[in-house]
Amino acid sequence: MKTLCSFLQISRNMHQGNQTTITEFILLGLSNQAEHQNLLFVLFLGMYLVTVVGNGLIILAISLDTYLHTPMYLFLANLSFAGISSISNSVPKMLVSIHTNSQSISYESCITQMYFSIVFVVTDNLLLGTMAYDRFVAICHPLNYITLMRPRFCILLTVISWLLSNIIALTHTLLLIQLLFCDHNTLPHFFCDLAPLLKLSCSDTMINELVLFIVGLSVIIFPFALIFFSYVCIIRAVLRISSTQGKWKVFSTCGSHLTVVLLFYGTIVGVYFFPSSVHPEDTDKIGAVLFTVVTPMMNPFIYSLRNKDMKGALRKLINRKLSSL
């Protein structure tokens, strides 16, 4: 984190020379009304704790239960880690700002926060596509599942997801630090997001907007195409099953993933699919809350309540902790 901040400061000095620029941003948060601050603090603190504990339990259960050492749960553990990281990147700073009544954030911290917000959102997206492929192989090619989803291949898919997300975030960051931020430093947001920062710049952001559109389109289209193709094949395979019980059993293994996919894509498309000038400020904030806070918080409930193996692993983990007290 410190290394990235130092790099940003050096790069900024090189690009901006002697021009006067701002050194910090003001985050207005979700509401400017003082009477709403205590409610927002309690609400988001509760959601943060639920997200960290819920996803942390999933990671711990998968790590300790050897029965869950399968490709699907490897991807789920990474999805849970990305969820914890995503909400930890934005909500603690917002809670501190509300508690201390200080809305400022340094330029370097703001760009760093933006970088990691992109990393975790893109990683979520890529992991959802990878998980869809895993379900496709498990249902449509069950006899070849062990061969096709070898441990090394699954680890490679996971590493590629994290690597690509960092490359995309670095691309946006390197383009952003070349922009000037002159007189206005007020962000109508609760964290440093790319779209509001582009609106705030006094430089020409055409290249940034173009890259945002092209890269954003690619990041959404390719995983979504993989998800769509996987589920078309899954549905065709399910329709060939004669018994209703057999069909329900197959669909039940995909229900959790489908629910998360619908929740994730239903919010992210409206925020990052188009150039930032298209969106009203409230839409940006609502969308950001949904995919950086609500979606990570819902993941543990969706996967644990609809998954017998996960419920069993969590039950064993809790019983083990209680018996050790």
Side-chain angles (χ1 to χ4, degrees), residues 86 94 115 130 132 157 170 177 182 209-210 243 254 256 258-259 288:
S86 178
M94 185 186 73
Y115 175 91
T130 304
L157 290 176
L170 184 61
I177 61 177
C182 305
E209 296 277 5
L210 182 62
S243 68
C254 306
S256 300
L258 264 178
T259 304

Side-chain angles (χ1 to χ4, degrees), residues 231 250-260 302 306:
Y231 276 102
V250 173
F251 266 126
S252 65
T253 64
C254 306
S256 300
H257 179 258
L258 264 178
T259 304
V260 174
I302 294 170
R306 297 179 62 92

Side-chain angles (χ1 to χ4, degrees), residues 4-303:
L4 180 58
C5 289
S6 301
F7 169 75
L8 291 172
Q9 183 63 55
I10 294 171
S11 300
R12 189 187 187 210
N13 293 337
M14 290 175 61
H15 285 110
Q16 296 178 349
N18 296 324
Q19 301 184 58
T20 302
T21 57
I22 62 174
T23 59
E24 66 179 17
F25 293 100
I26 304 298
L27 297 172
L28 295 182
L30 294 173
S31 175
N32 292 326
Q33 300 182 24
E35 60 270 21
H36 294 163
Q37 299 308 308
N38 289 335
L39 176 61
L40 287 173
F41 183 88
V42 173
L43 179 63
F44 276 83
L45 177 61
M47 289 193 293
Y48 178 71
L49 293 176
V50 169
T51 303
V52 172
V53 172
N55 284 285
L57 284 174
I58 285 180
I59 295 172
L60 193 59
I62 293 173
S63 301
L64 297 178
D65 194 334
T66 55
Y67 183 73
L68 299 182
H69 291 178
T70 63
M72 182 177 72
Y73 292 108
L74 168 66
F75 302 139
L76 178 57
N78 276 269
L79 190 69
S80 295
F81 177 74
I84 293 175
S85 303
S86 178
I87 196 171
S88 298
N89 184 53
S90 57
V91 170
K93 170 59 182 173
M94 185 186 73
L95 295 177
V96 170
S97 297
I98 294 174
H99 182 68
T100 62
N101 200 27
S102 174
Q103 298 174 309
S104 64
I105 182 172
S106 68
Y107 175 90
E108 291 78 17
S109 297
C110 185
I111 303 302
T112 302
Q113 189 181 56
M114 182 212 72
Y115 175 91
F116 284 110
S117 70
I118 296 172
V119 167
F120 301 131
V121 169
V122 175
T123 300
D124 276 351
N125 194 23
L126 297 177
L127 285 173
L128 288 175
T130 304
M131 293 171 77
Y133 175 74
D134 172 74
R135 292 298 83 204
F136 158 73
V137 176
I139 294 171
C140 299
H141 302 281
L143 298 179
N144 297 324
Y145 182 78
I146 296 177
T147 303
L148 293 174
M149 300 300 291
R150 296 185 303 274
R152 288 186 179 181
F153 179 65
C154 295
I155 293 172
L156 179 63
L157 290 176
T158 305
V159 170
I160 288 175
S161 297
W162 285 101
L163 184 61
L164 281 178
S165 64
N166 276 275
I167 292 173
I168 291 169
L170 184 61
T171 300
H172 286 305
T173 302
L174 292 177
L175 287 173
L176 184 71
I177 61 177
Q178 299 181 54
L179 301 180
L180 292 174
F181 297 90
C182 305
D183 300 324
H184 303 289
N185 69 334
T186 302
L187 282 171
H189 217 300
F190 68 99
F191 74 100
C192 292
D193 202 8
L194 179 57
L197 284 169
L198 292 180
K199 291 180 184 178
L200 201 63
S201 174
C202 54
S203 301
D204 183 6
T205 61
M206 184 184 68
I207 298 298
N208 301 74
E209 296 277 5
L210 182 62
V211 172
L212 175 59
F213 179 78
I214 294 174
V215 174
L217 183 67
S218 302
V219 166
I220 291 174
I221 289 296
F222 288 116
F224 184 80
L226 180 59
I227 293 170
F228 182 78
F229 169 79
S230 298
Y231 276 102
V232 166
C233 295
I234 289 171
I235 291 171
R236 290 176 60 186
V238 169
L239 292 177
R240 289 196 291 266
I241 300 175
S242 57
S243 68
T244 304
Q245 185 178 0
K247 292 179 180 179
W248 175 250
K249 183 178 180 180
V250 173
F251 266 126
S252 65
T253 64
C254 306
S256 300
H257 179 258
L258 264 178
T259 304
V260 174
V261 166
L262 293 174
L263 182 62
F264 184 85
Y265 279 97
T267 55
I268 194 173
V269 169
V271 177
Y272 282 124
F273 192 80
F274 296 102
S276 60
S277 59
V278 176
H279 302 284
E281 294 173 357
D282 288 343
T283 303
D284 283 346
K285 288 191 284 189
I286 293 171
V289 168
L290 287 173
F291 69 76
T292 62
V293 179
V294 176
T295 301
M297 182 184 69
M298 294 301 297
N299 283 350
F301 296 102
I302 294 170
Y303 279 102

